[in-house]
Coordinates of all heavy atoms in Angstrom, one line a residue:
M1 N 17.4 16.0 19.9 CA 17.3 15.0 18.9 C 16.1 15.2 18.0 O 16.3 15.1 16.8 CB 17.3 13.6 19.6 CG 17.1 12.5 18.6 SD 17.3 10.9 19.4 CE 15.7 10.3 19.2
L2 N 15.0 15.5 18.5 CA 13.8 15.6 17.7 C 13.3 17.0 17.4 O 12.2 17.2 17.2 CB 12.7 14.7 18.4 CG 13.0 13.3 18.5 CD1 12.0 12.6 19.4 CD2 12.9 12.6 17.1
K3 N 14.2 17.9 17.5 CA 13.8 19.3 17.3 C 13.7 19.6 15.8 O 14.5 19.0 15.0 CB 14.8 20.3 17.9 CG 14.8 20.2 19.4 CD 15.4 21.4 20.0 CE 15.3 21.3 21.5 NZ 15.0 22.5 22.2
L4 N 12.8 20.4 15.4 CA 12.6 20.7 14.0 C 13.7 21.7 13.6 O 14.0 22.6 14.3 CB 11.3 21.4 13.8 CG 10.0 20.5 14.0 CD1 8.8 21.3 13.8 CD2 10.0 19.4 13.0
T5 N 14.2 21.5 12.4 CA 15.2 22.4 11.8 C 14.5 23.6 11.2 O 13.2 23.6 11.0 CB 16.1 21.8 10.8 OG1 15.2 21.4 9.7 CG2 16.8 20.5 11.3
L6 N 15.2 24.7 10.9 CA 14.6 25.8 10.3 C 14.0 25.5 9.0 O 12.9 26.0 8.6 CB 15.6 27.0 10.2 CG 15.1 28.3 9.7 CD1 14.0 28.8 10.6 CD2 16.3 29.3 9.6
E7 N 14.7 24.6 8.2 CA 14.2 24.2 6.9 C 12.9 23.5 7.0 O 12.0 23.7 6.2 CB 15.3 23.3 6.2 CG 14.9 23.0 4.8 CD 16.1 22.2 4.2 OE1 17.2 22.6 4.3 OE2 15.7 21.2 3.5
Q8 N 12.8 22.6 8.0 CA 11.5 21.8 8.2 C 10.4 22.8 8.6 O 9.3 22.6 8.1 CB 11.7 20.8 9.3 CG 12.6 19.6 8.8 CD 12.9 18.7 9.9 OE1 13.0 19.1 11.1 NE2 13.1 17.4 9.6
K9 N 10.7 23.8 9.4 CA 9.7 24.8 9.8 C 9.2 25.6 8.6 O 8.0 25.9 8.4 CB 10.2 25.7 10.9 CG 10.3 25.0 12.2 CD 10.9 26.0 13.2 CE 11.1 25.3 14.6 NZ 11.7 26.2 15.6
K10 N 10.1 25.9 7.7 CA 9.8 26.6 6.4 C 8.9 25.8 5.5 O 8.1 26.4 4.8 CB 11.0 27.1 5.7 CG 11.8 28.2 6.3 CD 13.0 28.6 5.5 CE 13.7 29.7 6.2 NZ 15.0 30.1 5.4
K11 N 9.1 24.5 5.5 CA 8.2 23.6 4.7 C 6.8 23.6 5.3 O 5.9 23.2 4.6 CB 8.8 22.2 4.7 CG 10.0 22.0 3.9 CD 10.4 20.5 3.9 CE 11.7 20.3 3.2 NZ 12.1 18.9 3.3
G12 N 6.6 23.9 6.5 CA 5.3 24.0 7.1 C 5.0 22.9 8.1 O 3.9 22.7 8.6
I13 N 6.1 22.2 8.6 CA 5.9 21.2 9.6 C 5.8 21.9 11.0 O 6.5 22.8 11.3 CB 7.1 20.2 9.6 CG1 7.4 19.6 8.3 CG2 7.0 19.2 10.7 CD1 8.7 18.9 8.2
K14 N 4.8 21.4 11.7 CA 4.5 22.0 13.1 C 4.5 20.9 14.1 O 4.0 19.8 13.9 CB 3.2 22.7 13.1 CG 3.1 23.9 12.2 CD 1.8 24.5 12.2 CE 1.8 25.7 11.3 NZ 0.4 26.1 10.9
E15 N 5.2 21.1 15.2 CA 5.1 20.2 16.3 C 3.9 20.5 17.1 O 3.7 21.6 17.7 CB 6.4 20.3 17.2 CG 6.4 19.3 18.3 CD 7.7 19.4 19.1 OE1 8.8 19.7 18.5 OE2 7.7 19.0 20.3
E16 N 3.0 19.5 17.2 CA 1.7 19.8 17.9 C 1.8 19.6 19.4 O 1.4 20.5 20.1 CB 0.6 18.8 17.3 CG 0.3 19.1 15.9 CD -0.4 20.4 15.7 OE1 -1.2 20.8 16.5 OE2 -0.1 21.1 14.7
F17 N 2.3 18.5 19.8 CA 2.5 18.2 21.3 C 3.5 17.1 21.5 O 3.8 16.3 20.7 CB 1.1 17.9 21.9 CG 0.5 16.6 21.5 CD1 0.9 15.4 22.1 CD2 -0.4 16.6 20.5 CE1 0.3 14.2 21.7 CE2 -1.0 15.4 20.1 CZ -0.6 14.2 20.7
T18 N 4.0 17.1 22.8 CA 4.8 16.1 23.3 C 4.2 15.5 24.5 O 3.7 16.2 25.3 CB 6.2 16.6 23.6 OG1 6.8 17.2 22.5 CG2 7.1 15.5 24.1
Y19 N 4.2 14.2 24.6 CA 3.5 13.5 25.7 C 4.5 12.5 26.4 O 5.2 11.8 25.7 CB 2.3 12.7 25.2 CG 1.7 11.8 26.3 CD1 0.9 12.3 27.3 CD2 2.0 10.4 26.2 CE1 0.4 11.5 28.2 CE2 1.4 9.6 27.2 CZ 0.6 10.1 28.2 OH 0.1 9.3 29.1
V20 N 4.7 12.6 27.7 CA 5.5 11.7 28.4 C 4.7 11.1 29.6 O 4.1 11.9 30.3 CB 6.8 12.4 29.0 CG1 7.6 11.5 29.8 CG2 7.5 13.1 27.9
N21 N 4.6 9.8 29.7 CA 3.9 9.2 30.8 C 4.9 8.8 31.9 O 6.1 8.9 31.8 CB 3.0 8.1 30.3 CG 3.7 6.8 29.9 OD1 4.9 6.7 30.1 ND2 3.0 5.9 29.4
S22 N 4.3 8.2 33.0 CA 5.1 7.9 34.1 C 6.1 6.7 33.8 O 7.0 6.5 34.6 CB 4.2 7.5 35.3 OG 3.4 6.5 35.0
N23 N 5.8 5.9 32.8 CA 6.7 4.8 32.5 C 7.9 5.2 31.6 O 8.6 4.3 31.2 CB 5.9 3.7 31.8 CG 4.9 3.1 32.7 OD1 5.0 3.1 33.9 ND2 3.8 2.6 32.1
G24 N 8.0 6.4 31.2 CA 9.1 6.9 30.4 C 8.7 6.9 28.9 O 9.6 7.1 28.1
R25 N 7.5 6.6 28.6 CA 7.1 6.5 27.1 C 7.0 8.0 26.7 O 6.2 8.8 27.3 CB 5.9 5.8 26.9 CG 5.5 5.6 25.5 CD 4.2 4.8 25.3 NE 4.1 4.5 23.9 CZ 3.8 3.3 23.5 NH1 3.6 2.3 24.3 NH2 3.7 3.1 22.2
M26 N 7.6 8.3 25.6 CA 7.5 9.7 25.0 C 7.0 9.6 23.6 O 7.3 8.7 22.8 CB 8.9 10.3 25.0 CG 8.9 11.8 24.6 SD 10.4 12.6 24.8 CE 11.4 11.9 23.5
S27 N 6.0 10.5 23.3 CA 5.4 10.5 22.0 C 5.3 12.0 21.6 O 5.1 12.9 22.3 CB 4.0 9.9 22.1 OG 3.4 10.0 20.9
K28 N 5.6 12.2 20.3 CA 5.5 13.5 19.7 C 4.6 13.4 18.5 O 4.6 12.4 17.7 CB 6.9 14.0 19.2 CG 7.8 14.5 20.4 CD 9.0 15.2 19.8 CE 9.8 15.7 21.0 NZ 10.4 16.9 20.7
Q29 N 3.9 14.5 18.2 CA 3.0 14.5 17.1 C 3.3 15.8 16.3 O 3.4 16.9 16.8 CB 1.5 14.5 17.5 CG 0.6 14.3 16.3 CD -0.8 13.9 16.8 OE1 -1.0 13.6 18.0 NE2 -1.7 13.9 15.9
Y30 N 3.5 15.6 15.0 CA 3.8 16.7 14.1 C 2.6 16.8 13.1 O 1.9 15.8 12.8 CB 5.0 16.4 13.3 CG 6.3 16.2 14.1 CD1 6.7 15.0 14.5 CD2 7.0 17.3 14.6 CE1 7.8 14.8 15.3 CE2 8.1 17.1 15.4 CZ 8.5 15.9 15.7 OH 9.6 15.7 16.5
T31 N 2.4 18.0 12.5 CA 1.4 18.2 11.5 C 2.1 18.8 10.2 O 2.9 19.6 10.3 CB 0.4 19.2 12.0 OG1 -0.2 18.7 13.2 CG2 -0.8 19.4 10.9
Y32 N 1.7 18.2 9.1 CA 2.2 18.7 7.8 C 1.0 18.6 6.8 O 0.5 17.5 6.6 CB 3.4 17.9 7.3 CG 3.8 18.3 5.9 CD1 4.4 19.5 5.7 CD2 3.6 17.5 4.8 CE1 4.9 19.9 4.5 CE2 4.0 17.9 3.6 CZ 4.7 19.1 3.4 OH 5.1 19.5 2.1
R33 N 0.6 19.8 6.3 CA -0.5 19.8 5.3 C -1.8 19.1 5.8 O -2.5 18.5 5.1 CB -0.1 19.3 4.0 CG 1.1 20.1 3.4 CD 1.5 19.6 2.1 NE 0.6 20.1 1.0 CZ 0.8 19.9 -0.3 NH1 1.9 19.1 -0.7 NH2 0.0 20.3 -1.2
G34 N -2.0 19.3 7.1 CA -3.2 18.8 7.7 C -3.2 17.3 8.1 O -4.1 16.7 8.5
M35 N -2.0 16.7 7.9 CA -1.8 15.3 8.2 C -0.9 15.1 9.4 O 0.0 15.9 9.6 CB -1.2 14.5 7.0 CG -2.0 14.8 5.7 SD -2.6 13.3 5.1 CE -3.3 13.9 3.6
Y36 N -1.2 14.1 10.3 CA -0.5 13.9 11.5 C 0.6 12.9 11.3 O 0.4 11.8 10.7 CB -1.4 13.4 12.6 CG -2.4 14.5 13.1 CD1 -3.7 14.4 12.8 CD2 -1.9 15.6 13.8 CE1 -4.6 15.3 13.2 CE2 -2.8 16.5 14.2 CZ -4.2 16.4 13.9 OH -5.0 17.4 14.3
I37 N 1.8 13.2 11.8 CA 2.9 12.3 11.8 C 3.3 12.0 13.3 O 3.4 13.0 14.0 CB 4.1 12.9 11.1 CG1 3.8 13.2 9.6 CG2 5.3 11.9 11.1 CD1 4.8 14.2 9.0
T38 N 3.5 10.8 13.6 CA 3.7 10.5 15.0 C 5.1 9.8 15.2 O 5.5 9.0 14.4 CB 2.6 9.5 15.6 OG1 1.3 10.1 15.3 CG2 2.8 9.2 17.0
W39 N 5.8 10.2 16.3 CA 7.0 9.6 16.7 C 6.8 9.1 18.1 O 6.2 9.8 18.9 CB 8.2 10.6 16.6 CG 9.4 10.0 17.2 CD1 10.3 9.2 16.5 CD2 9.9 10.0 18.5 NE1 11.4 8.8 17.3 CE2 11.1 9.3 18.6 CE3 9.4 10.6 19.7 CZ2 11.9 9.2 19.7 CZ3 10.2 10.4 20.8 CH2 11.4 9.7 20.8
D40 N 7.2 7.9 18.4 CA 7.1 7.3 19.7 C 8.4 6.6 20.1 O 8.9 5.8 19.2 CB 5.9 6.4 19.8 CG 5.5 5.9 21.2 OD1 6.4 5.6 21.9 OD2 4.3 5.9 21.4
N41 N 8.9 6.8 21.3 CA 10.2 6.2 21.6 C 10.1 4.7 21.8 O 11.1 4.0 21.9 CB 10.9 6.9 22.8 CG 10.2 6.6 24.1 OD1 9.0 6.2 24.1 ND2 10.9 6.8 25.2
Q42 N 8.9 4.1 21.9 CA 8.8 2.7 22.1 C 8.3 2.0 20.8 O 8.2 0.7 20.8 CB 7.9 2.4 23.2 CG 8.5 2.8 24.5 CD 7.7 2.4 25.8 OE1 6.6 1.9 25.7 NE2 8.2 2.8 26.9
I43 N 8.0 2.7 19.7 CA 7.7 2.0 18.5 C 9.0 1.8 17.7 O 9.7 2.7 17.3 CB 6.8 2.9 17.6 CG1 5.4 3.1 18.3 CG2 6.6 2.2 16.2 CD1 4.5 4.0 17.5
L44 N 9.4 0.5 17.6 CA 10.7 0.1 16.9 C 11.9 0.9 17.4 O 12.6 1.5 16.7 CB 10.5 0.3 15.4 CG 9.4 -0.6 14.8 CD1 9.2 -0.2 13.4 CD2 9.7 -2.0 14.9
H45 N 12.0 1.0 18.8 CA 13.1 1.7 19.4 C 13.3 3.2 19.1 O 14.4 3.7 19.2 CB 14.4 0.9 19.1 CG 14.3 -0.5 19.4 ND1 14.2 -1.0 20.7 CD2 14.3 -1.6 18.6 CE1 14.1 -2.3 20.6 NE2 14.2 -2.7 19.4
G46 N 12.2 3.8 18.7 CA 12.2 5.3 18.5 C 13.0 5.7 17.3 O 13.3 6.9 17.2
K47 N 13.2 4.8 16.3 CA 13.9 5.2 15.1 C 13.0 5.5 14.0 O 13.5 5.8 12.9 CB 14.8 4.1 14.8 CG 15.9 3.8 15.8 CD 16.8 2.7 15.4 CE 17.9 2.5 16.5 NZ 18.7 1.4 16.2
W48 N 11.7 5.4 14.1 CA 10.8 5.5 13.0 C 9.7 6.5 13.3 O 9.2 6.7 14.4 CB 10.1 4.2 12.7 CG 11.2 3.2 12.4 CD1 11.7 2.3 13.3 CD2 11.8 2.9 11.1 NE1 12.7 1.5 12.6 CE2 12.7 1.9 11.3 CE3 11.6 3.5 9.9 CZ2 13.5 1.4 10.3 CZ3 12.4 3.0 8.8 CH2 13.3 2.0 9.0
Y49 N 9.2 7.2 12.2 CA 8.1 8.1 12.2 C 6.9 7.3 11.6 O 7.1 6.6 10.6 CB 8.3 9.3 11.5 CG 9.4 10.2 12.2 CD1 10.7 10.0 12.0 CD2 9.0 11.2 13.0 CE1 11.7 10.7 12.6 CE2 9.9 12.0 13.7 CZ 11.3 11.7 13.4 OH 12.2 12.5 14.1
Y50 N 5.7 7.5 12.1 CA 4.5 6.8 11.6 C 3.5 7.7 11.0 O 3.1 8.7 11.6 CB 3.9 6.1 12.9 CG 2.7 5.3 12.6 CD1 2.8 4.0 12.0 CD2 1.5 5.7 13.0 CE1 1.6 3.3 11.8 CE2 0.3 5.0 12.8 CZ 0.4 3.8 12.2 OH -0.7 3.0 12.0
W51 N 3.0 7.3 9.8 CA 2.0 8.1 9.2 C 1.1 7.1 8.3 O 1.7 6.4 7.5 CB 2.5 9.2 8.3 CG 1.5 9.9 7.5 CD1 0.5 10.7 7.9 CD2 1.2 9.7 6.1 NE1 -0.3 11.1 6.9 CE2 0.1 10.5 5.7 CE3 1.8 9.0 5.1 CZ2 -0.4 10.6 4.5 CZ3 1.3 9.1 3.8 CH2 0.2 9.9 3.5
R52 N -0.2 7.0 8.6 CA -1.1 6.2 7.8 C -0.6 4.8 7.6 O -0.5 4.3 6.4 CB -1.4 6.9 6.5 CG -2.3 8.0 6.6 CD -2.8 8.4 5.3 NE -3.4 7.2 4.6 CZ -4.0 7.2 3.4 NH1 -4.1 8.3 2.8 NH2 -4.4 6.1 2.9
A53 N -0.3 4.1 8.6 CA 0.1 2.7 8.6 C 1.4 2.5 7.8 O 1.7 1.4 7.4 CB -1.0 1.8 7.9
S54 N 2.2 3.5 7.7 CA 3.5 3.4 7.1 C 4.6 3.9 8.1 O 4.3 4.9 8.9 CB 3.6 4.2 5.8 OG 2.7 3.7 4.9
Y55 N 5.7 3.3 8.1 CA 6.9 3.8 8.9 C 7.9 4.4 8.0 O 8.2 3.9 7.0 CB 7.5 2.6 9.7 CG 6.5 2.0 10.7 CD1 5.7 1.0 10.4 CD2 6.5 2.6 12.0 CE1 4.8 0.5 11.4 CE2 5.6 2.1 13.0 CZ 4.8 1.1 12.7 OH 4.0 0.6 13.6
Y56 N 8.5 5.5 8.5 CA 9.5 6.2 7.8 C 10.8 6.4 8.7 O 10.6 6.6 9.9 CB 9.0 7.6 7.3 CG 7.9 7.5 6.4 CD1 6.6 7.5 6.8 CD2 8.1 7.4 5.0 CE1 5.5 7.4 5.9 CE2 7.0 7.3 4.1 CZ 5.7 7.3 4.6 OH 4.7 7.2 3.7
G57 N 11.9 6.4 8.1 CA 13.2 6.5 8.8 C 13.5 7.9 9.3 O 14.3 8.1 10.1
S58 N 12.9 8.9 8.7 CA 13.1 10.3 9.1 C 11.8 11.1 8.9 O 10.9 10.7 8.1 CB 14.2 10.9 8.3 OG 13.8 11.1 6.9
L59 N 11.8 12.2 9.5 CA 10.6 13.1 9.3 C 10.5 13.6 7.9 O 9.4 13.7 7.3 CB 10.7 14.3 10.3 CG 9.5 15.2 10.4 CD1 8.3 14.4 10.8 CD2 9.8 16.3 11.4
D60 N 11.7 13.9 7.2 CA 11.7 14.3 5.8 C 11.1 13.2 4.9 O 10.5 13.5 3.9 CB 13.1 14.8 5.4 CG 13.5 16.0 6.2 OD1 12.7 16.9 6.4 OD2 14.7 16.1 6.5
A61 N 11.4 12.0 5.2 CA 10.9 10.9 4.4 C 9.4 10.8 4.5 O 8.7 10.6 3.5 CB 11.5 9.6 4.8
A62 N 8.9 11.1 5.7 CA 7.4 11.1 5.9 C 6.8 12.2 5.1 O 5.7 12.0 4.5 CB 7.1 11.2 7.4
I63 N 7.4 13.4 5.1 CA 6.9 14.5 4.3 C 6.9 14.2 2.8 O 5.9 14.5 2.1 CB 7.8 15.7 4.6 CG1 7.8 16.1 6.0 CG2 7.5 16.9 3.7 CD1 6.5 16.3 6.6
T64 N 7.9 13.5 2.3 CA 7.9 13.1 0.9 C 6.8 12.2 0.6 O 6.1 12.3 -0.4 CB 9.3 12.4 0.6 OG1 10.3 13.3 0.9 CG2 9.3 12.0 -0.9
G65 N 6.5 11.2 1.6 CA 5.4 10.3 1.4 C 4.0 11.0 1.4 O 3.1 10.7 0.6
I66 N 3.9 12.1 2.2 CA 2.6 12.8 2.2 C 2.5 13.6 0.9 O 1.4 13.6 0.3 CB 2.6 13.8 3.4 CG1 2.4 13.0 4.7 CG2 1.5 14.8 3.3 CD1 2.6 13.7 6.0
D67 N 3.6 14.2 0.5 CA 3.5 15.0 -0.8 C 3.2 14.1 -2.0 O 2.3 14.4 -2.8 CB 4.8 15.7 -1.1 CG 5.1 16.9 -0.2 OD1 4.1 17.4 0.3 OD2 6.2 17.3 0.0
R68 N 3.7 12.9 -2.0 CA 3.4 11.9 -3.0 C 1.9 11.5 -3.0 O 1.3 11.4 -4.0 CB 4.3 10.7 -2.9 CG 4.3 9.7 -4.0 CD 5.2 8.5 -3.9 NE 6.4 8.8 -3.1 CZ 6.8 8.3 -2.0 NH1 6.1 7.3 -1.4 NH2 8.0 8.6 -1.4
H69 N 1.4 11.3 -1.8 CA 0.0 11.0 -1.6 C -0.9 12.1 -2.1 O -1.9 11.8 -2.8 CB -0.2 10.7 -0.1 CG -1.7 10.5 0.3 ND1 -2.3 9.4 0.1 CD2 -2.5 11.4 0.8 CE1 -3.6 9.5 0.5 NE2 -3.7 10.7 0.9
I70 N -0.6 13.3 -1.7 CA -1.4 14.4 -2.1 C -1.4 14.6 -3.7 O -2.4 14.8 -4.3 CB -1.0 15.7 -1.4 CG1 -1.4 15.6 0.1 CG2 -1.6 17.0 -2.0 CD1 -0.9 16.7 1.0
N71 N -0.2 14.6 -4.3 CA 0.0 14.7 -5.7 C -0.8 13.6 -6.5 O -1.3 13.8 -7.5 CB 1.4 14.8 -6.1 CG 2.1 16.0 -5.7 OD1 1.4 17.1 -5.5 ND2 3.4 16.0 -5.5
H72 N -0.7 12.4 -5.9 CA -1.4 11.3 -6.6 C -2.9 11.5 -6.7 O -3.5 11.3 -7.7 CB -1.1 10.0 -5.8 CG -1.9 8.8 -6.3 ND1 -1.5 8.2 -7.5 CD2 -3.0 8.1 -5.9 CE1 -2.4 7.2 -7.7 NE2 -3.2 7.1 -6.8
Y73 N -3.5 12.0 -5.6 CA -5.0 12.2 -5.6 C -5.4 13.5 -6.2 O -6.5 13.7 -6.6 CB -5.5 12.1 -4.2 CG -5.5 10.6 -3.7 CD1 -4.6 10.1 -2.9 CD2 -6.5 9.8 -4.2 CE1 -4.6 8.8 -2.5 CE2 -6.5 8.4 -3.9 CZ -5.5 7.9 -3.0 OH -5.5 6.6 -2.7
K74 N -4.4 14.4 -6.4 CA -4.7 15.7 -7.0 C -4.8 15.5 -8.5 O -5.6 16.1 -9.2 CB -3.6 16.7 -6.8 CG -4.0 18.1 -6.8 CD -2.8 19.0 -6.6 CE -2.6 19.4 -5.2 NZ -1.5 20.4 -5.1
T75 N -4.1 14.5 -9.1 CA -4.1 14.3 -10.5 C -5.3 13.4 -11.0 O -5.5 13.3 -12.2 CB -2.8 13.6 -11.0 OG1 -2.7 12.3 -10.3 CG2 -1.6 14.5 -10.7
K76 N -6.0 12.8 -10.0 CA -7.1 11.9 -10.4 C -8.4 12.7 -10.5 O -8.6 13.7 -10.0 CB -7.3 10.8 -9.4 CG -6.3 9.8 -9.6 CD -6.6 8.6 -8.7 CE -5.6 7.5 -9.0 NZ -6.0 6.2 -8.4

């Protein structure tokens, strides 16, 4: 379910680690352009990715948010 596609790998997304505790909580952390994106199966039923106090419905949407953030501060 949460495996990176070849296209996502080409964009530069890296899966840093996966953590599972004894209660069944699973967390994954991804890196894109030096920024961390987190997925957790207990944050809003595991349907959202979290980056900088924002929730995204997919990993690609989080990437778009990071690109928008970087472009905004690059132009200033």
Side-chain angles (χ1 to χ4, degrees):
M1 177 172 114
L2 296 168
K3 294 198 177 218
L4 293 176
T5 64
L6 185 59
E7 185 176 313
Q8 289 172 329
K9 288 179 183 178
K10 285 181 182 178
K11 286 181 182 178
I13 303 169
K14 295 178 184 160
E15 185 177 328
E16 294 295 320
F17 65 86
T18 301
Y19 171 77
V20 180
N21 72 6
S22 60
N23 295 332
R25 184 178 192 134
M26 186 169 73
S27 179
K28 286 190 176 215
Q29 190 164 351
Y30 302 93
T31 304
Y32 175 70
R33 297 180 83 176
M35 309 240 181
Y36 293 107
I37 303 164
T38 304
W39 175 87
D40 191 314
N41 70 339
Q42 293 186 359
I43 296 177
L44 300 170
H45 307 294
K47 296 180 182 175
W48 301 93
Y49 292 84
Y50 178 77
W51 173 72
R52 282 195 53 176
S54 297
Y55 291 94
Y56 297 91
S58 70
L59 189 56
D60 292 324
I63 298 308
T64 303
I66 290 172
D67 287 338
R68 190 178 326 120
H69 171 80
I70 290 172
N71 290 336
H72 175 75
Y73 285 102
K74 208 185 269 188
T75 59
K76 286 189 173 190

